Amino acid sequence: RKRDSAMPTDFAAQLFDIDGLHLTKVESDRNTVTLHIEMERQEQPCPECGVLTDAVHDYRQQKIKEVSILGKETTLILRKRRYVCKSCCKRFPEKNDLLPRYARMTARLTNQICWKLENEYSFSSVAREVGTSVSTVIRTFDQNVCFDELPVLEQSVAIDEFKGNTGREKYQCIVTDPEKKKVLDILPDRHKRDVKSYFLQWKEKAREKVTRFISDMWKPYQDTAAEVFSKAVRVVDKYHWIRQVIWAFESIRKQEQAKLSRKERVQFKRSRVLLNKRFDYLEESDQEHVTVMLQLSERLHKAHRIKDDFLQVLDCDTGEAAEQTLDLWLSLARNSGLKEFEACCDTIEEWKPEILNSFDCPYTNGYTEGCNNRIKVLKRNAYGYRNFGRFRNRILHMFSGSYRRRKMEKAAQNGQP
């Protein structure tokens, strides 16, 4: 059932914060609300000759989408005037602060859509929530959110890839500032030529400010840093070189566990976490459990000792102290007769300078990896993105802070209230 009622003339001005706006009629039912509004008739300056006039040429109605009121889909019916200048006969529409010209939704609804897209929501879920089409949400996002300017490079730069499957590339890159916990940019792929050309967009003076470059053990990243950031110390993230040793130990554990009888394998139930952890950090009952397991295989016992000796390298405070301890461990691992650790030693020796630098660097790729997790949630909610530009804007919009704050800063720069 529809309800039709008259409202106080100043109610619309208070509701929409626009002087001279009147609410003439309300139509509502269970799911929708329709508000009929119009601007107060006032003298308007002619855009052609500047003469004031209040002569109305004609009226027309415009349907406008508004933010939901009390959970009901809300529509505005604006009765618009077109004035005519008595001096030059110019016809022009009245001034309207409710929405831009040619727009079909209010600025409040546009801002609400952009604020919701700061989270990992998909375009479809936002469209259902605000009561509009998916294409409208996408168009609104594309028109209001764009990151064209190069970010400012600071002292620390970290880079990592994530599986985006966007723009015909399997991997995309994320560039962050781990010191200020800030996402700088998203790159379309991880090829060296493209990563290098991206960083060369900054002048040499700006690139010289970078003193730390952090990445995983992907050779093109480190080669790019050597060519682009002349004053940067190249660092390999601790997680990536530590797991080389853990992978070697895990390979031996799986091989030895497969050799045991069914009765003996009962001892290895949920053994992975206990065996990978440092023996000294375990509780007494867990230490006894690990000791029983290690007695079942001499090869596993030797691998466990080598793994624990390596984890003690992490107790070093500086790269200089870690170098001596690491050299001793490399000698022990090479003479162990375990081929899995021999291959691991080759990798660590190849990356030894970058590994030692990680002891003196106070930052890791932990923030970058956390950003990758949020990106994966965004991609999964949307069932993937085909358009890389839109995917990049979604990610940067999600990590760049409040859309409301950015709109206020932009308005202040333009001298708007």
Side-chain angles (χ1 to χ4, degrees), residues 150-294:
L150 284 174
V152 178
L153 292 179
E154 300 293 347
Q155 291 185 340
S156 301
V157 171
I159 189 171
D160 196 15
E161 71 276 353
F162 60 91
K163 193 174 181 180
N165 292 312
T166 304
R168 297 184 180 180
E169 289 289 342
K170 183 176 182 180
Y171 293 102
Q172 279 72 51
C173 280
I174 178 172
V175 183
T176 66
D177 181 351
E179 184 175 355
K180 294 187 175 182
K181 301 287 191 295
K182 182 179 179 182
V183 176
L184 299 180
D185 213 337
I186 305 296
L187 309 187
D189 57 64
R190 63 173 184 172
H191 304 313
K192 179 184 174 181
R193 65 178 184 275
D194 296 326
V195 175
K196 181 179 177 180
S197 63
Y198 171 75
F199 284 118
L200 287 177
Q201 293 180 88
W202 283 270
K203 295 182 179 179
E204 185 176 358
K205 186 176 181 181
R207 287 185 271 119
E208 287 179 350
K209 291 172 56 180
V210 179
T211 58
R212 306 183 192 92
F213 183 87
I214 307 169
S215 72
D216 57 14
M217 302 173 83
W218 177 246
K219 193 69 173 175
Y221 293 157
Q222 296 292 335
D223 292 343
T224 299
E227 298 174 13
V228 174
F229 301 113
S230 58
K231 296 186 177 180
V233 174
R234 300 191 299 278
V235 179
V236 168
D237 183 55
K238 286 184 177 180
Y239 166 77
H240 291 89
W241 58 264
I242 292 173
R243 70 177 181 176
Q244 297 292 324
V245 178
I246 300 300
W247 282 347
F249 174 71
E250 274 290 286
S251 177
I252 295 174
R253 179 188 69 82
K254 293 175 182 177
Q255 294 172 21
E256 295 304 305
Q257 187 172 337
K259 297 176 183 178
L260 300 176
S261 64
R262 183 174 183 180
K263 183 178 179 180
E264 291 173 324
R265 283 203 298 270
V266 173
Q267 299 289 339
F268 281 79
K269 188 175 182 181
R270 293 187 291 273
S271 64
R272 178 175 174 272
V273 175
L274 293 180
L275 289 172
N276 286 339
K277 201 170 183 180
R278 287 176 66 166
F279 187 80
D280 296 339
Y281 290 174
L282 295 174
E283 297 180 0
E284 186 175 351
S285 59
D286 292 333
Q287 287 181 348
E288 294 176 357
H289 189 194
V290 169
T291 301
V292 171
M293 289 188 288
L294 296 180

Side-chain angles (χ1 to χ4, degrees), residues 20 22 38-44 53-57 59 81 83 86 94:
H22 298 311
E38 65 178 14
M39 296 295 297
E40 182 179 348
R41 182 173 175 177
Q42 297 176 349
E43 287 188 333
Q44 304 282 332
T53 179
D54 65 348
V56 177
H57 176 71
Y59 290 89
R81 298 182 186 86
Y83 290 89
K86 297 180 179 179
E94 65 184 346

Side-chain angles (χ1 to χ4, degrees), residues 323 326-327 330 348-357:
E323 185 175 11
L326 186 59
D327 287 340
L330 287 170
I348 291 178
E349 286 185 340
E350 181 182 358
W351 293 90
K352 187 178 176 182
E354 291 81 6
I355 290 174
L356 294 177
N357 288 337

